[in-house]
C-alpha cells in the first residue's frame, strides 16, 4: 500500500518543520554557529525525503526479522494473536502510517482482552474452580503480614485459586513445596480442549531477575469426573523461562476430539529452586460442547 503524493508532501513538510526546530534549538544553545545553521537548513530540504525512505526500509527489515524470530518459538506471537486483514499489506509497497496505527490498535485490543484474546474455561470468574491439589502442599513463607509487638499473628498465603485468577503480579501465585505438584481444575463448561496457556512473571520484574521457581516440565490430563485418578494424557510440554512470560501449548491432535469437564496440571520440575515452585496462571482453551450432563 503506497501513500499518495499529497500525503507524502504533507509528511515531508512535517519532517522539515521538526528538523528546522531542532536546528534552531541547537543554535540557541550555542552548539552550532550561523554558517552551520545555513548549511543544515539547506540540507534538510534535500535529505528529508531520502531519510523518510531509509527509515521506512529499516522499519520493514526490523519487522521481518522479528517475525522470523518469533515464528520459531512456541509462544504467542503477533502473527497468532493479531488478526490479519485484507487491507494490511506488508509487501514491497512499504509500511504506511495507517498500517502502523492499525497494528497498534489491534495489539491494544488483544491486550485488553485478557492479553491473548482467547477464551479461558478455567478462569474462576467465568465459573472455573479448584477441585484439589492431590498430595501437593502449599509452601508457607515465614514473612508475617500482621504482627503485634514482634509476634506474628497472620501469614499471607496464596491459595491454589491464584492459578485461575487474572491478577499476575510478583508474589500473586500458588507456591507449593518442592518441584513436583498437581492441581485439578473444574472447567466452566464441557470442553474440547485444543491448547493450554501457562503464565509466569517475566524476569524483568522478578526480584534479582530470578525466576528459578517457574515451572519447567509439565503435563496436562483431561478428566471426565473429579474423582478420576489417571485421566487422559493431552500433552507434555516445557515452559521456557527465556521466552515470553505467556506461553501457549497445543493439545495433542489425536486427543482433540474428546470432551472433558476437568483438567489436571502436573508439574514435573522447575528451573532450579530447591524449596518451592510458583504457578501464576494456567488457562484452558477449546470449544464449548453441550452434553447430557448439563
Amino acid at each position: 500500500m503506497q501513500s499518495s503524493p499529497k500525503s507524502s508532501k504533507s509528511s515531508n513538510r512535517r519532517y522539515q518543520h521538526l528538523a528546522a526546530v531542532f536546528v534552531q534549538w541547537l543554535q540557541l544553545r550555542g552548539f552550532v554557529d550561523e554558517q552551520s545553521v545555513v548549511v543544515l537548513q539547506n540540507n534538510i530540504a534535500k535529505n528529508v525525503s531520502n531519510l523518510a525512505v531509509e527509515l521506512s526500509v529499516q522499519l520493514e527489515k526490523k519487522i521481518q526479522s522479528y517475525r522470523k524470530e518469533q515464528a520459531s518459538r512456541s509462544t504467542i506471537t503477533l502473527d497468532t494473536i493479531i488478526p490479519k486483514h485484507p487491507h494490511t499489506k506488508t509487501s514491497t509497497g512499504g509500511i504506511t502510517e495507517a498500517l502502523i496505527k492499525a497494528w497498534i490498535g489491534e495489539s491494544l485490543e488483544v491486550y485488553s482482552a485478557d492479553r491473548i484474546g482467547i477464551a479461558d474455561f478455567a478462569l474462576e470468574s467465568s465459573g472455573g474452580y479448584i477441585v484439589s491439589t492431590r498430595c501437593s502442599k502449599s509452601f508457607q513463607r515465614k514473612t508475617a503480614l500482621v504482627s503485634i509487638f514482634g509476634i506474628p499473628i497472620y501469614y499471607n498465603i496464596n491459595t491454589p485459586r491464584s492459578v485461575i485468577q487474572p491478577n499476575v503480579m510478583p508474589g500473586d501465585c500458588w507456591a507449593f513445596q518442592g518441584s513436583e505438584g498437581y492441581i485439578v481444575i473444574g472447567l466452566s463448561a464441557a470442553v474440547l480442549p485444543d491448547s493450554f496457556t501457562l503464565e509466569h512473571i517475566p524476569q524483568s520484574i522478578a526480584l534479582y531477575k530470578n525466576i528459578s521457581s517457574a515451572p519447567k516440565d509439565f503435563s496436562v490430563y483431561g478428566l471426565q469426573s473429579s474423582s478420576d485418578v489417571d485421566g487422559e494424557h493431552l500433552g507434555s510440554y516445557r515452559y521456557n523461562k527465556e521466552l515470553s512470560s505467556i506461553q501457549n501449548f497445543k493439545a495433542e491432535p489425536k486427543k482433540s476430539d474428546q470432551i472433558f469437564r476437568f483438567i489436571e496440571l502436573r508439574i514435573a520440575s522447575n528451573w532450579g529452586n530447591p524449596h518451592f515452585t510458583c504457578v501464576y496462571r494456567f488457562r484452558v482453551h477449546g470449544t464449548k460442547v453441550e452434553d447430557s450432563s448439563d
Side-chain angles (χ1 to χ4, degrees):
M1 180 185 297
Q2 294 196 9
S3 58
S4 64
K6 183 177 180 180
S7 62
S8 298
K9 290 180 181 179
S10 177
S11 298
N12 287 342
R13 284 196 295 270
R14 288 199 299 270
Y15 291 137
Q16 291 174 2
H17 174 70
L18 290 173
V21 170
F22 180 61
V23 170
Q24 184 179 16
W25 182 86
L26 292 174
Q27 182 184 14
L28 289 174
R29 282 155 180 77
F31 292 115
V32 294
D33 54 27
E34 288 191 16
Q35 184 176 0
S36 299
V37 169
V38 173
V39 174
L40 289 171
Q41 289 175 338
N42 291 335
N43 289 334
I44 287 173
K46 296 178 182 179
N47 298 331
V48 69
S49 296
N50 294 333
L51 177 61
V53 172
E54 179 64 22
L55 288 174
S56 179
V57 171
Q58 293 299 323
L59 180 58
E60 177 79 16
K61 290 180 179 179
K62 289 289 186 183
I63 291 177
Q64 294 297 334
S65 175
Y66 176 81
R67 283 180 170 169
K68 289 180 180 179
E69 178 184 353
Q70 292 297 314
S72 62
R73 298 179 175 180
S74 61
T75 60
I76 293 179
T77 64
L78 285 176
D79 289 335
T80 59
I81 64 176
I82 297 181
K84 293 183 178 297
H85 299 294
H87 65 275
T88 56
K89 298 180 179 179
T90 57
S91 60
T92 53
I95 299 174
T96 66
E97 182 179 353
L99 179 57
I100 294 175
K101 286 182 177 179
W103 282 349
I104 293 174
E106 290 167 352
S107 298
L108 291 174
E109 184 176 351
V110 170
Y111 185 88
S112 63
D114 205 12
R115 301 183 69 183
I116 61 175
I118 310 175
D120 175 18
F121 290 94
L123 184 64
E124 184 178 53
S125 59
S126 295
Y129 57 96
I130 299 299
V131 176
S132 72
T133 59
R134 304 292 193 195
C135 57
S136 305
K137 295 182 179 180
S138 297
F139 179 82
Q140 179 175 318
R141 294 182 178 87
K142 295 299 182 179
T143 302
L145 184 65
V146 178
S147 62
I148 299 178
F149 303 115
I151 302 174
I153 302 299
Y154 171 69
Y155 291 95
N156 183 28
I157 302 175
N158 288 330
T159 70
R161 291 174 54 201
S162 301
V163 175
I164 55 175
Q165 294 174 346
N167 188 34
V168 180
M169 293 297 291
D172 284 334
C173 64
W174 174 52
F176 60 84
Q177 296 179 17
S179 59
E180 294 184 37
Y182 308 82
I183 186 167
V184 179
I185 301 170
L187 304 180
S188 57
V191 173
L192 288 169
D194 55 39
S195 70
F196 314 98
T197 299
L198 186 61
E199 181 175 0
H200 196 83
I201 59 169
Q203 295 190 62
S204 58
I205 64 172
L207 188 63
Y208 307 120
K209 312 300 180 184
N210 182 6
I211 56 172
S212 62
S213 63
K216 184 178 182 181
D217 296 308
F218 67 97
S219 300
V220 181
Y221 290 79
L223 310 177
Q224 298 296 340
S225 69
S226 59
S227 60
D228 286 354
V229 177
D230 296 326
E232 189 72 39
H233 181 252
L234 301 179
S236 295
Y237 315 97
R238 170 167 291 185
Y239 181 89
N240 192 333
K241 67 183 182 70
E242 302 297 334
L243 301 183
S244 170
S245 60
I246 302 178
Q247 299 179 25
N248 182 258
F249 305 89
K250 300 297 182 183
E252 292 184 4
K254 63 180 180 180
K255 308 294 185 183
S256 61
D257 59 344
Q258 298 189 47
I259 303 172
F260 301 102
R261 281 191 164 275
F262 303 89
I263 291 292
E264 181 178 4
L265 171 63
R266 300 181 183 178
I267 307 295
S269 63
N270 64 23
W271 284 94
N273 192 301
H275 305 295
F276 62 91
T277 302
C278 284
V279 183
Y280 274 84
R281 187 174 178 187
F282 181 71
R283 314 185 200 192
V284 178
H285 314 296
T287 304
K288 180 181 178 181
V289 178
E290 300 293 340
D291 67 67
S292 57
S293 62
D294 285 337

